[in-house]
Amino acid sequence: DQQVKQNSPSLSVQEGRISILNCDYTNSMFDYFLWYKKYPAEGPTFLISISSIKDKNEDGRFTVFLNKSAKHLSLHIVPSQPGDSAVYFCAASNQGAQKLVFGQGTRLTINP
Amino acid sequence: DTAVSQTPKYLVTQMGNDKSIKCEQNLGHDTMYWYKQDSKKFLKIMFSYNNKELIINETVPNRFSPKSPDKAHLNLHINSLELGDSAVYFCASSQLGQGNIQYFGAGTRLSVL
């Protein structure tokens, strides 16, 4: 049973526009959520995170929104740049558990 | 200087062989992990060690045996390799008390023929 789901395998966005990546989770015990970015032949790189006590966290061009009642989070990238083209993974954890549960990733392509 | 490094990057071997993947982190973290990314691209945790002690052991065949000689190293030994073991294996590390932010190595692509 997949507890973290990214239902869009791919997304294509024009350079300069907003990219919105979505993630849903089923386990109400999750209290910490992360986004990772992955380039080919590299490991996932931490991008931004949010605790369940917040509903928004912003870092430069990246903003993560959390809707606990809907068990949904999203990552907004604005403006999108060609270097943002990568696979984005959503991950969730229970802070006491120390392990991350990942979604299957969304491949983002930024078109010039 | 690479923070989490894995060797080898690629590993091609025959069914039935035994192989090891090494992982080292120079971040001073106290917790290390092994993840497996299968053909469907899911990243799933296999093991977690904290200060050389096994903390997490997911449902993994006992052909997989992690070994942590010290808190900066976590190696993965696989016995009697099977076709289904073909995957990319990622090592990661984190520090207790700094959330669950984990730092990943570049991965080892294992192909079992």
Side-chain angles (χ1 to χ4, degrees):
Chain A
D1 178 37
Q2 194 60 21
Q3 299 182 68
V4 178
K5 295 180 183 178
Q6 295 175 254
N7 291 318
S8 298
S10 63
L11 177 67
S12 187
V13 173
Q14 206 73 19
E15 181 179 359
R17 307 294 288 266
I18 186 171
S19 296
I20 300 176
L21 297 102
N22 294 303
C23 177
D24 297 294
Y25 62 96
T26 57
N27 188 340
S28 56
M29 296 299 292
F30 289 146
D31 57 9
Y32 194 70
F33 304 89
L34 307 88
W35 284 94
Y36 279 81
K37 175 180 179 179
K38 185 182 179 306
Y39 292 120
E42 295 184 11
T45 303
F46 170 72
L47 197 54
I48 192 169
S49 62
I50 188 167
S51 164
S52 60
I53 61 173
K54 295 185 174 181
D55 54 18
K56 176 182 173 181
N57 188 27
E58 192 172 352
D59 184 2
R61 296 186 298 115
F62 302 91
T63 303
V64 56
F65 295 93
L66 175 62
N67 182 334
K68 287 186 290 294
S69 60
K71 294 193 178 69
H72 177 84
L73 63 154
S74 61
L75 174 68
H76 293 211
I77 306 173
V78 57
S80 300
Q81 298 175 355
D84 296 330
S85 294
V87 177
Y88 289 78
F89 289 96
C90 169
S93 73
N94 174 335
Q95 291 211 50
Q98 284 286 115
K99 74 175 187 181
L100 296 179
V101 179
F102 283 86
Q104 62 268 55
T106 296
R107 181 177 300 279
L108 175 65
T109 302
I110 306 301
N111 302 308
Chain B
D1 196 18
T2 306
V4 181
S5 58
Q6 298 178 226
T7 53
K9 195 168 178 62
Y10 301 97
L11 189 50
V12 181
T13 188
Q14 300 286 331
M15 271 177 54
N17 283 350
D18 302 339
K19 289 293 178 186
S20 292
I21 307 172
K22 295 185 176 181
C23 179
E24 175 181 3
Q25 54 94 5
N26 63 7
L27 297 167
H29 289 165
D30 55 14
T31 306
M32 296 184 72
Y33 311 81
W34 278 108
Y35 285 83
K36 178 181 180 181
Q37 185 178 34
D38 60 23
S39 57
K40 294 182 181 176
K41 305 302 181 187
F42 287 108
L43 261 166
K44 292 186 179 175
I45 191 163
M46 301 172 69
F47 301 103
S48 163
Y49 269 72
N50 178 264
N51 280 321
K52 304 195 302 176
E53 288 192 26
L54 182 65
I55 303 297
I56 295 172
N57 183 348
E58 294 291 293
T59 311
V60 177
N62 57 16
R63 298 182 295 104
F64 290 78
S65 53
K67 285 189 172 48
S68 181
D70 55 62
K71 72 174 192 176
H73 296 84
L74 181 62
N75 303 322
L76 184 64
H77 188 76
I78 315 170
N79 289 329
S80 304
L81 278 155
E82 300 178 357
L83 292 176
D85 297 332
S86 296
V88 182
Y89 292 85
F90 289 97
C91 177
S93 72
S94 69
Q95 181 63 30
L96 268 179
Q98 292 180 7
N100 273 352
I101 299 172
Q102 297 179 14
Y103 297 83
F104 285 79
T108 296
R109 182 174 293 276
L110 172 64
S111 298
V112 182
L113 307 177

